[in-house]
């Protein structure tokens, strides 16, 4: 653990200087989407009365905090990882130090967890100020976001480690992250989707996290222990398989 | 410190290192000399425990890289061929964070960083970003980073490649001091002057094999003559002249742009060339160097 903490520490040293720049992407934009959609689109949705006692703003807050974690987990694993191998080559210098592959990856993931937790806590605070939090279970949301973020960060780490240029990232964004962000029940229930797309949503880790976050912040959305275990278990599978793939990809790049 | 027997590295069908034996003793400055693609960097990566040998025995500090890689790396200092400094950190932070990977406490790391920045003459740049540093400064910082754990062995892969002459001399000067302090240095180079300046002992590598081994002086004595006469004939094809020169020297090498005559008395050989009245455009008598050793051993020049 200590070597991974040293890697984490080096990211913090950088972040201490660059955090201001990350505020826009991590906090301002998601909050703008929340307010814009929640109040703007929500005006029409709430007039229709389909959501019952819940405002549309309240409905999208748990989805929005989840999709923010989803994007953050992915982005932190794209350019920074590619650069570490191909541009700044810092991973190579880590490999020359007495660190194992799991220490290097562990340091990356610790930093990502730190980012996920801080972002979702701040986001929830803002949402609470808008009166969009209706359950004390909301304290569990940052941890669900951390799990979701890691569940995507690990396989994306594996992908980025195998790339030699960033041209594939636009494909990953257009055909992976953006569609999943739209069709995983963040802005509307997946039951509104045609059945083929609905299947995609069920496979998406984002949908599972959104369901859990929604149950944790909205009133009257009960979730059975079994369903909860299923959702979290599914995310854990992504995390474990992703970690394993990332270890293989890192080893291939650093030990040859 | 380093013991290798029959060390082999293959990548698929390509054999980068083809069965080499190496011994490096404590306090020695040891060099791997050879052209690009000779297998120097592959060897260095195996010694640095980031590349498992395909075959053969390798022991570093008495340990097995396969099972004790992290323990060995804790006692090595690596200056890689390509810079891998963190561009988002300052000069001093690069050293401190790297020290932390070795488990060095933060306070000690800071003191050590300041000391090393003095050593590589970068103290004034301590709080600068890495980006604006010149190539020579970056290389010196990389060397400082390699020393942050006070290593038993410093591995330097082409430490001055790509630097201008002045920057090279600064690097050499620092490396020479490390050598005087008794640190074990292992370096690769394709510069002859670098090997002659820094190495107590070296191996000449070509296509993955060791073709000669010894001190720079002993290699020159064994594989070359004391002096060399360099002749240039602008108008004549060198091959045509070479035949006439054969008996003036112990050995004649014909290169595309010049002819080299190997003789213990260079001035006498140059005198003899003049008597033939072949009209060379230039005649230069110089002492033999490792370049000549390499040429003799492989029939090729080093830097092409």
């Amino acid at each position: 653990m200590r070597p991974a903490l040293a890697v984490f520490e080096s990211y913090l040293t950088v972040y201490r200087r660059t955090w201001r720049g990350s505020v826009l992407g991590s906090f301002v934009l998601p909050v703008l989407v929340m307010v814009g959609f929640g109040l703007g689109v929500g005006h029409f949705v709430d007039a229709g009365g389909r959501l019952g006692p819940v405002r549309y703003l309240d409905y999208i807050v748990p989805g929005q905090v989840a999709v923010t974690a989803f994007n953050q987990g992915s982005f932190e694993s794209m350019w920074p990882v590619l650069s570490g191998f191909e541009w700044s080559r810092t991973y190579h210098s880590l490999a020359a130090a007495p660190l194992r592959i799991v220490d290097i990856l562990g340091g990356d993931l610790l930093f990502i967890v730190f980012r996920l937790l801080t972002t979702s806590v701040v986001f929830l605070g803002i949402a609470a100020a808008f009166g969009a939090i209706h359950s004390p279970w909301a304290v569990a949301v940052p941890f669900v976001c951390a799990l979701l973020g890691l569940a995507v960060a690990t396989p994306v780490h594996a992908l980025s480690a195998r790339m030699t240029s960033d041209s594939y990232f636009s494909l990953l964004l257009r055909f992976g992250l953006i569609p999943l962000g739209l069709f995983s029940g963040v802005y509307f229930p997946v039951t509104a989707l045609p059945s083929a797309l609905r299947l995609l949503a069920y496979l998406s880790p984002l949908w599972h996290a959104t369901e859990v976050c929604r149950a944790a912040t909205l009133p009257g959305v009960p979730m059975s222990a079994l369903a909860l275990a299923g959702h979290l278990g599914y995310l854990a599978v992504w995390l474990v398989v992703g970690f394993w793939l990332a270890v293989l990809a890192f080893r291939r790049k650093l030990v040859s | 410190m380093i013991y290798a027997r029959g060390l082999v590295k293959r990548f698929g069908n390509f054999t980068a290192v083809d069965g080499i034996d190496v011994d490096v003793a404590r306090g020695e400055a040891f060099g791997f000399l050879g052209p690009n693609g000779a297998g120097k960097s592959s060897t260095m990566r195996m010694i640095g425990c980031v590349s498992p040998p395909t075959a053969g025995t390798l022991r570093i500090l008495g340990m097995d890289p396969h099972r004790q890689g992290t323990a060995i790396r804790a006692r090595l200092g690596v200056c890689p061929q390509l810079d891998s400094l963190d561009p988002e950190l300052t000069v001093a932070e690069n050293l401190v964070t790297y020290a932390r990977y070795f488990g060095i406490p933060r306070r000690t790391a800071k003191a050590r960083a300041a000391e090393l920045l003095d050593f590589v003459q970068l103290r004034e740049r301590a709080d600068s970003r890495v980006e604006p540093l010149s190539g020579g400064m970056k290389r010196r910082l990389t060397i400082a980073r390699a020393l942050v754990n006070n290593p038993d062995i410093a591995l330097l892969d082409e430490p001055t490649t790509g630097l201008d002459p002045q920057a090279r001399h600064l690097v050499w000067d620092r490396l020479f001091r490390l050598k005087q302090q008794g640190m074990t240095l292992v370096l690769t180079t394709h510069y002859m002057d670098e090997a002659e300046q820094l190495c107590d002992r070296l191996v000449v590598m070509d296509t993955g094999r060791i073709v000669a081994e010894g001190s720079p002086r002993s290699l020159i004595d064994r594989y070359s003559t004391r002096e060399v006469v360099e002749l240039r004939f602008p108008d004549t094809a060198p091959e045509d002249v070479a035949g006439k020169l054969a008996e003036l020297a112990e050995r004649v090498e014909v290169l595309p742009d010049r002819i080299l005559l190997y003789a213990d008395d260079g001035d006498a050989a140059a005198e003899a060339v003049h008597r033939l009245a072949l009209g060379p455009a230039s005649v230069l008598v110089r002492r033999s160097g490792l370049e000549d050793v390499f040429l003799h051993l492989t029939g090729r020049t080093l830097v092409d």
Side-chain angles (χ1 to χ4, degrees):
Chain A
M1 197 61 185
R2 188 190 54 78
L5 282 173
V7 178
F8 174 49
E9 196 182 302
S10 77
Y11 285 111
L12 283 185
T13 309
V14 175
Y15 193 63
R16 236 181 23 203
R17 266 202 305 274
T18 59
W19 67 272
R20 286 174 200 83
S22 74
V23 165
L24 183 71
S26 307
F27 304 112
V28 179
L29 285 179
V31 168
L32 283 181
V33 172
M34 175 180 83
V35 173
F37 272 73
L39 298 181
V41 179
H43 182 69
F44 294 99
V45 177
D46 295 337
R50 294 278 296 274
L51 282 171
V54 183
R55 290 180 301 164
Y56 184 59
L57 175 70
D58 304 346
Y59 180 82
I60 64 163
V61 157
Q64 192 62 31
V65 71
V67 75
T68 303
F70 179 77
N71 287 334
Q72 200 167 37
S74 313
F75 291 163
E76 290 287 340
S77 308
M78 290 162 75
W79 284 273
V81 172
L82 178 67
S83 168
F85 283 113
E86 298 292 328
W87 301 333
S88 72
R89 300 182 56 81
T90 45
Y91 283 127
H92 296 277
S93 64
L94 292 177
L99 302 170
R100 298 162 303 164
I101 299 286
V102 289
D103 299 326
I104 298 172
L105 262 172
D108 275 23
L109 297 179
L110 278 174
F111 178 66
I112 291 174
V113 165
F114 163 77
R115 298 271 282 123
L116 292 164
L117 288 176
T118 47
T119 305
S120 48
V121 166
V122 172
F123 191 103
L124 284 180
I126 296 169
F130 279 90
I133 306 296
H134 300 280
S135 161
W137 280 109
V139 296
V141 166
F143 301 101
V144 178
C145 287
L147 179 59
L148 168 67
L150 289 180
V152 289
T154 48
V156 176
H157 255 71
L159 273 178
S160 303
R162 287 176 187 271
M163 285 180 190
T164 47
S165 92
D166 63 350
S167 49
Y168 288 102
F169 285 155
S170 60
L171 290 178
L172 180 63
L173 275 173
R174 273 175 223 169
F175 297 103
L177 302 180
I178 293 174
L180 285 179
L182 289 175
F183 301 130
S184 295
V186 172
Y187 305 100
F188 53 86
V190 293
T191 46
L193 289 169
S195 54
L197 275 178
R198 206 182 308 157
L199 189 68
L200 187 72
Y202 293 151
L203 292 175
S204 157
L206 177 55
W207 176 72
H208 294 269
T210 303
E211 286 294 293
V212 176
C213 290
R214 200 155 273 153
T217 64
L218 292 187
V221 185
M223 177 171 279
S224 70
L226 188 65
L228 180 64
H231 288 307
L232 297 182
Y234 184 73
L235 294 176
V237 169
W238 272 71
L239 170 57
V240 170
V241 174
F243 189 77
W244 178 68
L245 290 173
V247 168
L248 291 185
F250 270 50
R251 180 165 295 145
R252 209 175 96 119
K253 262 304 205 337
L254 295 176
V255 183
S256 57
Chain B
M1 304 291 272
I2 299 172
Y3 169 91
R5 287 294 174 273
L7 196 59
V8 174
K9 184 71 196 182
R10 277 190 214 101
F11 298 98
N13 286 329
F14 173 69
T15 305
V17 179
D18 195 5
I20 61 170
D21 299 343
V22 177
D23 291 285
V24 179
R26 181 176 293 276
E28 195 173 27
F30 186 87
F32 290 94
L33 177 73
N36 291 332
K40 306 186 302 286
S41 289
S42 297
T43 306
M44 286 296 254
R45 284 175 53 78
M46 286 192 277
I47 297 172
C49 304
V50 290
S51 170
T54 313
T57 308
L58 180 61
R59 291 286 174 275
I60 296 146
L61 300 162
M63 291 184 274
D64 175 6
H66 178 63
R67 287 181 298 114
Q68 293 153 292
T70 18
I72 298 170
R73 289 200 300 273
R75 292 167 60 188
L76 298 180
V78 179
C79 174
Q81 197 176 338
L82 296 170
D83 284 324
S84 58
L85 298 162
D86 194 326
E88 297 189 282
L89 295 172
T90 65
V91 167
E93 283 169 352
N94 257 288
L95 298 183
V96 174
T97 55
Y98 208 71
R100 301 285 294 138
Y101 303 150
F102 291 83
I104 297 169
R106 183 158 270 279
R107 185 191 293 259
T108 321
K110 282 189 173 160
R112 181 85 183 127
E115 203 177 290
L116 285 169
L117 287 178
D118 274 341
F119 176 68
V120 296
Q121 293 158 308
L122 284 173
R123 165 167 258 184
E124 311 77 59
R125 305 305 291 265
D127 298 319
S128 153
R129 290 294 189 90
V130 169
E131 207 60 53
L133 297 187
S134 70
M137 288 175 172
K138 282 184 187 161
R139 194 54 59 87
R140 264 148 48 209
L141 179 57
T142 305
I143 290 171
R145 192 181 68 177
L147 301 173
V148 84
N149 59 329
N150 223 334
D152 290 323
I153 308 174
L155 301 177
L156 306 140
D157 197 357
E158 303 203 0
T160 66
T161 297
L163 301 186
D164 62 57
Q166 203 192 347
R168 292 178 71 198
H169 280 285
L170 255 172
V171 169
W172 284 347
D173 175 58
R174 296 299 106 175
L175 295 180
F176 194 76
R177 284 197 192 197
L178 288 179
K179 184 177 144 173
Q180 282 179 320
Q181 288 165 15
M183 183 171 285
T184 309
L185 300 182
V186 177
L187 61 101
T188 72
T189 182
H190 55 230
Y191 296 120
M192 296 298 173
D193 43 356
E194 186 157 289
E196 292 187 49
Q197 288 225 11
L198 291 174
C199 297
D200 301 320
R201 209 157 57 82
L202 55 92
V203 291
V204 181
M205 283 188 81
D206 189 40
T207 60
R209 291 199 182 84
I210 290 175
V211 289
E213 178 178 357
S215 69
R217 196 66 254 160
S218 74
L219 285 172
I220 293 166
D221 289 345
R222 201 173 338 148
Y223 296 105
S224 192
T225 51
R226 207 171 69 85
E227 291 183 330
V228 190
V229 187
E230 292 203 11
L231 304 168
R232 286 174 199 269
F233 295 92
D235 304 324
T236 336
E239 294 78 12
D240 299 343
V241 195
K244 299 172 190 160
L245 298 169
E247 57 206 38
L248 303 184
E250 276 185 35
R251 200 162 55 81
V252 178
E253 289 281 354
V254 181
L255 302 179
D257 60 334
R258 63 211 142 111
I259 297 178
L260 304 180
L261 300 186
Y262 288 94
D264 283 323
D265 187 343
D267 288 325
E271 197 56 36
V273 172
H274 276 298
R275 283 197 296 271
L276 286 178
L278 295 168
S282 74
V283 179
L284 170 75
V285 179
R286 60 168 175 82
R287 289 170 63 91
S288 245
L290 282 173
E291 176 83 47
D292 303 294
V293 171
F294 189 80
L295 190 63
H296 186 186
L297 288 169
T298 68
R300 286 177 294 115
T301 51
L302 255 177
V303 187
D304 41 25

